[in-house]
Amino acid sequence: MSMNPRNAVAVTAGRLAGWASRTLLHRSGGNIPGAVALRLSPQILASFRSLFSDVIVVTGTNGKTTTTNLLADCLAQTGKPVITNRAGNNLEGGITAAVMQGRRSLTSAQRRGGAIGCFECDELYTARVLPKLRPRYLVLLNLFRDQLDRFGEIDHTQDVIAKALASSPETTLVFNADDPLCASIARRVSNPTIAFGLDEPTGTESDKVSDSRFCAVCNAPLDYDYVQYGQLGKYRCPKCGWERPELAVAVRNIVLGPRGYTFRINAGSQAAGPAGATAFPEPLAVGTAYRGLYMVYNITAAFTGARLLGAPSERFAEVLANYKPARGRMQTFTVGGRPVLANLAKNPVGFDRMLQLIKNSSGHACAFYINDNDADGHDISWLWDADFECLAGMPDLQVFAGGTRANDLQVRLKYAGVPSKIALTVSEALDQCTLSTGEMLYVVGNYTAMPVLCDELEKLDEGDAANMTAEEAIAAADAAAEKDVAAADRVAAAPAAEADAAVKPAAASREPWALLAPGEIAPEFKALAARPLRITHLYPEEMNLYGDTGNVQMLYKRCLWRGIPVEVNSLNRGEQADFSGTDIAMIGGGADRDQLAVQGELLKNADALRAYINDGGVLLAICGGYQLLGRHYYLGDEKIEGAGAVGLETRRAGEGPKARLIGNVSVRSEIVRDPILGFENHGGRTFLDENEKPLGVSQLPGTGNNGEDGFEGLVHDGVVGTYFHGPVLSKNPQLADWLIERALRRRGMDVALAPLNDAEEEGARAAFEKLLK
C-alpha cells in the first residue's frame, strides 16, 4: 500500500516523535506517534483501512484490554497477520500508532493478502474510529459508570456509541445482552446485531453496584430473574414487556470449582459469520482458572469474535492456556520471597471484582492506589460505591492506601470499618506489613497509578514469578486459604466445650476513631433509646450517581461512634412518603433518566416533603436532588416541574466547552468554621430567590450554583442544598455534625457533640486544598 506524500510525512514525523519520547524522555510513547501523525494528516487512519481484510473493534467500560489481547491471540491461529494495540492505548492516536508499527512488519505478500485489525477502543473514541476503520464487528462488553467528569453520564456514552454505529452501517454489533445498557444500544441501531450472555444464574458475585436497572423503552424499573453483578443479568420490564434479547451465543453449565470456572458456549443460527457459518456449530467446553465471573464474559466475547472471523475453535483451549495478561492486568511478581498480584481497577465494578477476590482468597494484605490525573478522571466519587465493607472484619487483614488521593481513599476505608495506613509505594506497603512466606500482597491501582506500580515491581521482582501465571499465584493464595478452612474444620470436630471456647465471639471492640463501642449509648442520649435518630435516604436506587450514599453512611457512623442511637431507612419509588419519624433526610444526584423517574415520585410526595421542611426538618440535597427541590429545571429543552419546596430554579446552560461546571471548589460558609470543599460537575445553572440564603460564597470565580453570582448551594432553615458530591461530607465533617446537631435540637436535645478523631478527614482536606492552589 503506497501512501500519498502528506501521509508519508505524517508517518515519518510520528515515528520520530515516538523515538524521542522513548529515548530522550524515557516514556513508553504508545500514543505519541499516532497523535503526531493525526495532527499532520487527520484522515490517516482511514487511509490505512485498505491494509486490512477484516477489522474488529472492542469497546466497553471493563475488560477491553483483556478481551482484545485474547481475541488477537485467537485470530493469530487463522494464519493471517494480526495488528493490534496490545498495550491498551485505545484512543485514536494509540490505534493509529499500532497500525503504523504493525504495517512496518508486514511483507509485501501479507499486505496484498490483508491483515486482520483487532483494536481496543475507548468508548467515546468509537465516534472517530468506526467511520474510518469501518470494522466488520464491534464487540460491546458492558457499560458502567466511569470517569464522570470526562465521559459524563452513561446516557451520553450510549449516544456516542449509537452514532458511531450509524456512521458505519455495515458493522455488526456483537453485544453483551445481559447488560440492559448495551441491549438498549442494540435496540436503537439499524446495524446487524449478535447477542451473547450467560443463560443461567450463577449465584456467585451479585453486589450492590448497579448503574441502571431501568427499561430502555419506558424507563420503568426492570424485574430480574437473576443478577450476575452490577446491572448484568436476565431482566424484563413488567410495564411494556421489553426484555433481555434472545441470546445468539449463550453460556450454560457454568460451574465455579476450587480452581476456577468451567462452562459451555452454545450458538444458534443467529451467530453467523460473513460466510454464513455458525460461530459455534458444536458447544464449546471452556475451562479457566481465572476466578472472576467477568472473565467468563471476556472469554465468551473474545471467542465469539474470533470464531466469527474464522479462527479455529479447536485451538481456543490452547490459546487460553497460553494467554499472558497485559501489563498490570492480573500480573504477578515476587518480592522478598512473597508473591505480589497487581491488577488495574478504575471504577466501582472493577474494584468490587478485586475486593471479592481478596475476600474469597482470605487475603492478609492489600494496597490500593488511586490517582486523579486527567486519564483517571478528577472525580473520585465512585470510591464510595465500591464495596470496601466486604473487607471489614477479615482477620489480620492489613490495608494500605496510596496514590495522589491516598487520603480520600483512607477516609473511604475508615467509614467502611477498615483501618488503613498510608503507603505511597509498594515498597512502603511491604515494609509495613507482616506476611508469611507465600502469602500474597494484592496491589490494585487505577489508570495512571498502575504503570508506576508495575515499574516499581519490575525493579523489585526477584524473578521467581517469571514462570508463575496469575492463575498459579491465585491458586497459591487459595491453598493458604484452604489451610484456614482446615483449621476451622478441626475446631468444628473438637469436643463441644473446646469448640465453644474456640469460637466464642469476643466482645464488640471500639473502633479506633469511635468514642464508644458499637451498641453503647452515651448517657446524654438515653432519651433516644426508644426512638433512635432516623436517617431517611430518598430514592437510593435512582439518586446515587456520585457515591452520594456515602453521606448517609457518614451521618450514621458519626452518630454511632458518639453513642447516639441511630437507624437508616429509605423512601423508594412507589412508596407514600411519611416523614413523621424522619430526623435527617438525604437525596443524592442522578442521571437524567433516573432523575426524571424520581421527579414524578417526588411530585406525588411534594406536600409531605414541604410540610417536613416547613417544620424545620433537616435535609441534605445533592446535585439533581438539589435541583428537584426548586420550582423547575430543564432536561434538554423540556421544562421539568420540581417539588417547589424551596425558592430556586435551574435553567439551561449555553452550548460549548463551558456548558458544564466541572472541578474542585472551596466555599466559605457561615454555618461551619472551615471552608466547605468539594467537586462539582453540573450543566444546570441554579438561581436562588432573593429571600433564600446560599450555603456560601465560592472562592474560585466561575464556579458554584451558576458560575455568575459567586454563590454555591443553599441553606433554608434545616435544608442544605449543594452541587458538591463525592460525597460532600467526606471532607467536611463539620457540615455532617451541623446536620446532626440540627436534628437533635429538633428532637429537643440542645447538646454539643463530642469531638471525634477526624485525622483521616483532615488529611483529605489538606491534600485537597493543595489541588486548589
Side-chain angles (χ1 to χ4, degrees):
M1 181 187 74
S2 61
M3 290 189 291
N4 63 42
R6 182 174 184 175
N7 286 345
V9 170
V11 168
T12 300
R15 289 173 179 164
L16 286 173
W19 174 86
S21 176
R22 293 187 300 272
T23 306
L24 303 179
L25 300 179
H26 305 289
R27 296 177 181 173
S28 61
N31 283 300
I32 289 177
V36 170
L38 286 165
R39 180 66 62 90
L40 298 175
S41 180
Q43 294 300 314
I44 192 170
L45 185 59
S47 73
F48 286 146
R49 179 59 180 88
S50 60
L51 187 68
F52 301 106
S53 59
D54 275 308
V55 174
I56 186 168
V57 172
V58 179
T59 195
T61 307
N62 290 344
K64 292 188 291 291
T65 301
T66 297
T67 302
T68 301
N69 288 350
L70 184 56
L71 174 57
D73 291 346
C74 293
L75 291 173
Q77 303 303 312
T78 64
K80 287 188 174 183
V82 178
I83 296 177
T84 185
N85 52 339
R86 193 171 289 274
N89 299 308
N90 58 26
L91 306 184
E92 186 181 6
I95 295 172
T96 302
V99 179
M100 289 166 55
Q101 181 180 359
R103 180 182 177 277
R104 296 184 70 183
S105 64
L106 298 178
T107 65
S108 298
Q110 287 172 330
R111 291 181 186 179
R112 289 193 299 271
I116 298 177
C118 177
F119 302 110
E120 166 189 348
C121 185
D122 175 271
E123 299 94 294
L124 295 188
Y125 274 78
T126 55
R128 298 187 186 185
V129 170
L130 260 63
K132 294 174 181 176
L133 285 182
R134 294 189 172 270
R136 187 181 295 275
Y137 297 105
L138 173 68
V139 179
L140 179 57
L141 298 172
N142 48 61
L143 290 174
F144 296 114
R145 186 181 348 167
D146 192 27
Q147 299 183 33
L148 288 168
D149 50 330
R150 185 170 79 89
F151 282 90
E153 296 172 4
I154 290 177
D155 293 9
H156 174 62
T157 305
Q158 290 176 296
D159 290 342
V160 169
I161 295 173
K163 290 176 182 177
L165 285 163
S167 72
S168 182
E170 65 272 31
T171 297
T172 295
L173 174 64
V174 181
F175 71 100
N176 183 353
D178 287 2
D179 187 343
L181 296 171
C182 296
S184 68
I185 294 175
R187 177 184 172 273
R188 293 166 57 181
V189 300
S190 58
N191 302 64
T193 61
I194 296 174
F196 69 88
L198 277 53
D199 204 24
E200 62 189 31
T202 60
T204 55
E205 297 195 34
S206 179
D207 53 48
K208 66 179 184 179
V209 178
S210 174
D211 285 302
S212 180
R213 293 182 183 175
F214 295 93
C215 177
V217 179
C218 68
N219 210 37
L222 294 170
D223 285 344
Y224 276 77
D225 290 348
Y226 49 83
V227 175
Q228 308 296 5
Y229 60 84
Q231 71 270 10
L232 276 59
K234 186 176 182 181
Y235 48 85
R236 184 180 187 278
C237 176
K239 185 176 180 181
C240 73
W242 183 69
E243 59 185 353
R244 183 182 73 172
E246 181 181 352
L247 299 180
V249 177
V251 178
R252 302 190 181 104
N253 306 114
I254 308 164
V255 177
L256 174 59
R259 291 293 181 266
Y261 280 99
T262 60
F263 54 96
R264 298 177 75 85
I265 304 177
N266 306 267
S269 59
Q270 290 176 299
T278 302
F280 299 103
E282 300 293 334
L284 177 69
V286 180
T288 175
Y290 289 98
R291 294 283 298 273
L293 191 60
Y294 64 91
M295 277 300 292
V296 177
Y297 282 107
N298 293 343
I299 291 168
T300 301
F303 284 6
T304 299
R307 187 67 186 93
L308 289 170
L309 286 177
S313 57
E314 63 270 16
R315 302 289 297 276
F316 287 169
E318 178 185 350
V319 169
L320 183 58
N322 294 327
Y323 170 70
K324 299 295 183 184
R327 190 172 190 249
R329 273 75 169 181
M330 301 297 283
Q331 190 175 3
T332 57
F333 305 87
T334 299
V335 182
R338 294 169 294 190
V340 178
L341 177 67
N343 194 45
L344 171 76
K346 57 191 177 67
N347 51 38
V349 171
F351 248 82
D352 277 1
R353 305 279 62 80
M354 281 304 298
L355 293 172
Q356 288 296 324
L357 175 62
I358 294 167
K359 180 180 178 180
N360 294 337
S361 299
S362 299
H364 288 143
C366 51
F368 305 115
Y369 294 86
I370 301 298
N371 284 355
D372 65 344
N373 298 317
D374 289 343
D376 306 298
H378 302 293
D379 182 355
I380 60 167
S381 60
W382 58 269
L383 284 175
W384 289 83
D385 287 321
D387 188 19
F388 289 101
E389 282 75 11
C390 75
L391 302 182
M394 287 184 63
D396 303 319
L397 180 65
Q398 303 160 81
V399 181
F400 303 92
T404 61
R405 300 304 287 269
N407 300 97
D408 291 271
L409 178 56
Q410 200 174 32
V411 173
R412 172 66 186 102
L413 290 163
K414 170 180 178 177
Y415 284 88
V418 182
S420 63
K421 298 178 181 178
I422 298 292
L424 298 181
T425 65
V426 179
S427 295
E428 289 183 24
L430 288 167
D431 288 344
Q432 293 185 63
C433 72
T434 55
L435 287 173
S436 302
T437 301
E439 286 188 327
M440 179 177 290
L441 171 67
Y442 296 86
V443 175
V444 186
N446 63 349
Y447 264 134
T448 65
M450 186 49 63
V452 176
L453 295 169
C454 286
D455 287 345
E456 182 188 3
L457 284 166
E458 286 167 0
K459 292 178 181 178
L460 296 171
D461 188 19
E462 298 162 354
D464 296 339
N467 298 315
M468 180 187 288
T469 67
E471 296 165 307
E472 293 168 337
I474 294 169
D478 287 344
E482 287 171 5
K483 292 180 181 178
D484 293 339
V485 173
D489 289 342
R490 286 195 297 272
V491 170
E498 181 182 342
D500 289 344
V503 301
K504 183 179 180 180
S509 59
R510 179 171 65 85
E511 293 180 287
W513 36 72
L515 301 178
L516 297 173
E520 286 191 69
I521 301 176
E524 62 268 35
F525 300 117
K526 291 290 186 183
L528 297 176
R531 188 173 79 78
L533 205 70
R534 176 178 292 175
I535 303 168
T536 299
H537 193 171
L538 307 184
Y539 311 107
E541 290 293 323
E542 298 83 6
M543 304 297 282
N544 185 36
L545 180 63
Y546 300 105
D548 299 312
T549 190
N551 291 309
V552 172
Q553 192 171 0
M554 288 194 63
L555 290 167
Y556 174 79
K557 289 291 184 72
R558 294 183 74 81
C559 287
L560 199 67
W561 293 338
R562 290 182 168 104
I564 302 174
V566 61
E567 63 184 20
V568 176
N569 71 345
S570 60
L571 174 64
N572 301 301
R573 288 178 64 181
E575 296 177 353
Q576 187 68 35
D578 180 6
F579 294 105
S580 60
T582 295
D583 297 296
I584 305 175
M586 202 290 294
I587 182 169
D592 289 343
R593 174 184 57 250
D594 299 338
Q595 188 171 323
L596 187 60
V598 164
Q599 179 257 356
E601 295 285 322
L602 205 59
L603 288 184
K604 295 175 186 177
N605 292 311
D607 289 342
L609 179 63
R610 286 192 291 265
Y612 172 71
I613 291 173
N614 292 336
D615 188 43
V618 179
L619 169 65
L620 175 63
I622 310 293
C623 294
Y626 173 35
Q627 295 177 355
L628 282 168
L629 294 183
R631 288 185 295 276
H632 62 259
Y633 70 97
Y634 280 87
L635 185 60
D637 292 329
E638 184 180 1
K639 187 177 181 180
I640 308 297
E641 184 181 356
V646 295
L648 64 84
E649 60 183 44
T650 302
R651 306 166 193 168
R652 284 178 293 128
E655 301 295 331
K658 295 185 179 180
R660 295 191 73 83
L661 300 180
I662 304 176
N664 299 320
V665 185
S666 172
V667 166
R668 286 285 181 185
S669 176
E670 295 179 359
I671 68 173
V672 291
R673 180 184 70 250
D674 297 327
I676 297 174
L677 308 176
F679 188 91
E680 66 175 2
N681 182 358
H682 57 101
R685 300 295 190 266
T686 295
F687 294 86
L688 307 182
D689 291 354
E690 289 185 1
N691 61 330
E692 295 286 10
K693 292 179 58 177
L695 174 60
V697 178
S698 176
Q699 304 300 290
L700 299 176
T703 61
N705 283 337
N706 49 58
E708 298 176 15
D709 58 24
F711 297 144
E712 205 292 313
L714 163 139
V715 177
H716 177 104
D717 198 4
V719 177
V720 171
T722 178
Y723 275 115
F724 288 179
H725 60 256
V728 63
L729 301 183
S730 64
K731 282 185 286 294
N732 301 287
Q734 293 174 20
L735 182 57
D737 291 349
W738 184 89
L739 295 166
I740 296 169
E741 287 175 341
R742 292 280 305 207
L744 289 171
R745 283 202 296 272
R746 188 166 174 260
R747 291 283 297 271
M749 304 183 72
D750 194 4
V751 178
L753 293 178
L756 294 172
N757 181 354
D758 288 329
E760 289 82 2
E761 292 88 339
E762 292 304 319
R765 286 181 60 84
F768 190 86
E769 286 174 335
K770 292 179 182 178
L771 299 175
L772 298 170
K773 297 178 180 179

